[in-house]
């Protein structure tokens, strides 16, 4: 893209023309009483860091959240649509929406617009029907329930770590360590992930948010 200044064309820098992307690391894991979320906080425009403290954990219902990766504009728009339809259902039925219903609405938008959107979503939360649940929606709109899910550019660095570390029946404390360690490892390797780690614990009692600042991230051999 060229801009004009005093009738002279020049190439605009990437940070002016690039799309805002949540090139990112997102994660969610089920445990007995609910779900633990985690994400980094970096939003990039090409190689330029546009926002160091983005919140990629987005509430769509009282006890349902989503983690967003891909185009920031696309994922924010989809989350807004899903929140609208869940609010509509709740008002009409006078019941809290289920996590699966929320995930299927995400799937509807992601699949029907798969050629126009860049959106990868993890939808998770707690409902009275099935308790804590995690649904993974990668690019293209597939929707699968999983005991844990990872996404974003940083996830490619930690598949092996997660497969080796995850075990069934983890407690809330173990899940928080699992998520924070995995996201920190991804942030260390992935140039599009960084900033701080945002964590959330969602149970029948509601959502509890936590943050790990950038200077207090878990460290490993590279310390």
């Amino acid at each position: 893209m060229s801009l004009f200044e005093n009738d002279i064309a020049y190439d605009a820098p990437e940070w002016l023309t690039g799309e805002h992307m949540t090139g990112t690391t997102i994660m969610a894991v089920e445990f007995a009483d609910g779900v633990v979320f985690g994400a980094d906080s970096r939003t990039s425009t090409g190689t330029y860091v546009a926002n160091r403290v983005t919140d990629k954990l987005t509430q769509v219902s009282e006890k349902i959240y989503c983690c967003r990766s891909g185009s920031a504009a696309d994922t924010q728009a989809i989350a807004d649509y899903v929140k609208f339809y869940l609010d509509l259902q709740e008002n009409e039925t006078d019941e809290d929406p289920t996590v699966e219903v929320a995930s299927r609405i995400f799937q509807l938008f992601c699949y029907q617009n798969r050629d126009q959107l860049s959106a990868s979503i993890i939808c998770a939360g707690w409902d009275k029907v099935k308790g804590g649940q995690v649904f993974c929606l990668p690019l293209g709109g597939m929707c699968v329930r999983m005991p844990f899910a990872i996404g974003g550019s940083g996830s490619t660095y930690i598949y092996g770590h997660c497969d080796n570390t995850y075990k069934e029946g983890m407690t809330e404390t173990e899940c928080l360590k699992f998520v924070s360690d995995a996201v920190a490892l991804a942030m260390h390797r992935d140039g599009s992930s960084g900033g701080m780690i945002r964590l959330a614990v969602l149970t029948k009692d509601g959502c509890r948010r936590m943050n790990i600042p950038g200077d207090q991230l878990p460290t490993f051999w590279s310390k």
Side-chain angles (χ1 to χ4, degrees):
M1 175 182 179
S2 294
L3 299 181
F4 287 86
E5 183 176 291
N6 298 326
D7 297 327
I8 299 175
Y10 68 96
D11 289 329
E14 187 179 28
W15 60 270
L16 277 179
T17 60
E19 182 179 10
H20 279 227
M21 303 289 289
T22 57
T24 183
T25 303
I26 55 176
M27 187 172 183
V29 58
E30 297 177 0
F31 70 102
D33 297 323
V35 176
V36 172
F37 300 86
D40 75 307
S41 64
R42 176 173 293 177
T43 294
S44 55
T45 305
T47 57
Y48 175 78
V49 177
N51 190 339
R52 297 178 295 129
V53 289
T54 306
D55 188 358
K56 301 173 187 177
L57 310 180
T58 302
Q59 185 177 25
V60 293
S61 184
E62 182 181 359
K63 296 175 182 175
I64 304 173
Y65 278 67
C66 71
C67 304
R68 303 177 293 107
S69 68
S71 165
D74 292 349
T75 56
Q76 287 171 358
I78 294 171
D80 286 344
Y81 274 115
V82 172
K83 186 177 188 307
F84 168 78
Y85 282 109
L86 292 179
D87 287 345
L88 191 64
Q89 179 196 356
E90 186 174 354
N91 289 332
E92 289 181 344
T93 64
D94 199 27
E95 291 187 355
D96 293 334
T98 65
V99 182
E100 184 168 4
V101 166
S103 302
R104 295 304 175 185
I105 299 175
F106 271 112
Q107 181 186 27
L108 182 70
F109 284 107
C110 291
Y111 181 76
Q112 290 186 344
N113 301 281
R114 61 191 180 279
D115 294 328
Q116 288 79 40
L117 299 178
S118 174
S120 176
I121 306 286
I122 297 174
C123 180
W126 184 94
D127 62 54
K128 63 182 181 181
V129 179
K130 295 182 179 179
Q133 300 149 75
V134 172
F135 287 86
C136 180
L137 294 95
L139 292 172
M142 181 178 70
C143 181
V144 181
R145 182 179 176 181
M146 304 178 70
F148 74 90
I150 57 178
S153 56
S155 67
T156 58
Y157 297 92
I158 56 172
Y159 273 99
H161 166 77
C162 291
D163 288 340
N164 182 62
T165 308
Y166 174 79
K167 61 180 185 291
E168 293 183 358
M170 288 194 293
T171 64
E172 177 186 322
T173 302
E174 290 174 325
C175 286
L176 283 168
K177 177 172 173 52
F178 175 54
V179 171
S180 59
D181 284 353
V183 175
L185 283 166
M187 290 167 63
H188 178 67
R189 295 290 182 183
D190 178 35
S192 295
S193 300
M196 62 195 295
I197 297 177
R198 296 189 184 276
L199 298 168
V201 180
L202 188 56
T203 66
K204 65 179 180 179
D205 298 319
C207 184
R208 188 171 82 256
R209 299 289 296 262
M210 293 158 279
N211 297 320
I212 303 178
D215 60 352
Q216 298 177 25
L217 297 177
T219 55
F220 306 92
W221 71 268
S222 56
K223 177 181 178 181

